[in-house]
Amino acid sequence: MARAIDQAYIAEENGDVPIGCVIVHQGQVIAKAYNQREQLTDPTAHAEIIALTQAADYLGSWRLADCTIYVTLEPCPMCAGALVLARIERLVYGCHDPKAGSCGSIYNIVEDERLNHMVSVTSGVLQEKCSRQLSDFFKRRRQEKALDKDNCLQ
């Protein structure tokens, strides 16, 4: 999870929401990524989606059955669906997402028995650090917007 947090800092440095992830196969990191929605102007450029593409390329297969994905924030519906479709074996995430979490918070796509694959989930790993990173980011964003608004009024 520490490596995923490092990736999240890269996202933040690039002006994006600090979410990072890594994918591990047989004890080796085969993919690492961070949110790049702002950088790529792509709504699908979530850390998980980018890392899944890297892992599939590395393994030469879209089936990532023996892989574990570590992500700093609980995946959204798009990413949770992609984890199921990629046949990811295990998901480990840092903090819950009460607004879009789809791995237990709002929805539970990855453990839905109606789908053709279920992902094992471990949550709360380095939760405080992951949560603080996100809340600090949004706090700074709100302050910056307030300053911009004040400057426009002068």
Side-chain angles (χ1 to χ4, degrees), residues 112-124:
D112 190 324
E113 294 176 352
R114 297 170 293 182
L115 299 175
N116 63 339
H117 177 74
M118 293 189 343
V119 179
S120 171
V121 178
T122 302
S123 62

Side-chain angles (χ1 to χ4, degrees), residues 1 3-4 20-33 47-48 51-52 55-56 59 63-71 75 83 86-94 117 119-123 125:
M1 185 61 73
R3 289 186 182 179
C21 81
V22 296
I23 297 178
V24 175
H25 178 257
Q26 298 177 348
Q28 178 183 352
V29 174
I30 62 167
K32 57 185 180 178
E48 300 96 321
L52 288 170
L59 294 174
R63 288 183 178 90
L64 306 178
D66 296 326
C67 295
T68 298
I69 188 167
Y70 296 83
V71 63
L83 297 180
R87 311 300 197 271
I88 286 282
E89 183 176 320
R90 183 169 174 236
L91 161 67
V92 178
Y93 70 85
H117 177 74
V119 179
S120 171
V121 178
T122 302
S123 62
V125 176

Side-chain angles (χ1 to χ4, degrees), residues 1-143:
M1 185 61 73
R3 289 186 182 179
I5 292 170
D6 291 343
Q7 290 296 302
Y9 281 116
I10 297 170
E12 186 170 2
E13 289 170 4
N14 287 299
D16 217 318
V17 177
I19 300 170
C21 81
V22 296
I23 297 178
V24 175
H25 178 257
Q26 298 177 348
Q28 178 183 352
V29 174
I30 62 167
K32 57 185 180 178
Y34 53 90
N35 264 15
Q36 296 182 47
R37 293 181 308 166
E38 298 296 333
Q39 188 176 355
L40 300 176
T41 61
D42 180 352
T44 67
H46 290 202
E48 300 96 321
I49 300 299
I50 295 167
L52 288 170
T53 300
Q54 291 174 2
D57 186 52
Y58 179 88
L59 294 174
S61 174
W62 62 267
R63 288 183 178 90
L64 306 178
D66 296 326
C67 295
T68 298
I69 188 167
Y70 296 83
V71 63
T72 56
L73 180 67
E74 178 182 3
C76 71
M78 174 183 70
C79 293
L83 297 180
V84 170
L85 293 173
R87 311 300 197 271
I88 286 282
E89 183 176 320
R90 183 169 174 236
L91 161 67
V92 178
Y93 70 85
C95 57
H96 297 282
D97 184 351
K99 294 185 177 182
S102 296
C103 301
S105 290
I106 296 176
Y107 305 107
N108 197 355
I109 293 170
V110 295
E111 294 180 320
D112 190 324
E113 294 176 352
R114 297 170 293 182
L115 299 175
N116 63 339
H117 177 74
M118 293 189 343
V119 179
S120 171
V121 178
T122 302
S123 62
V125 176
L126 295 179
Q127 179 176 343
E128 180 61 34
K129 190 167 188 172
C130 293
S131 180
R132 185 173 44 250
Q133 186 179 32
L134 283 161
S135 60
D136 288 351
F137 172 80
F138 285 114
K139 183 178 181 181
R140 280 192 302 278
R141 271 260 173 104
R142 287 189 297 275
Q143 290 170 344

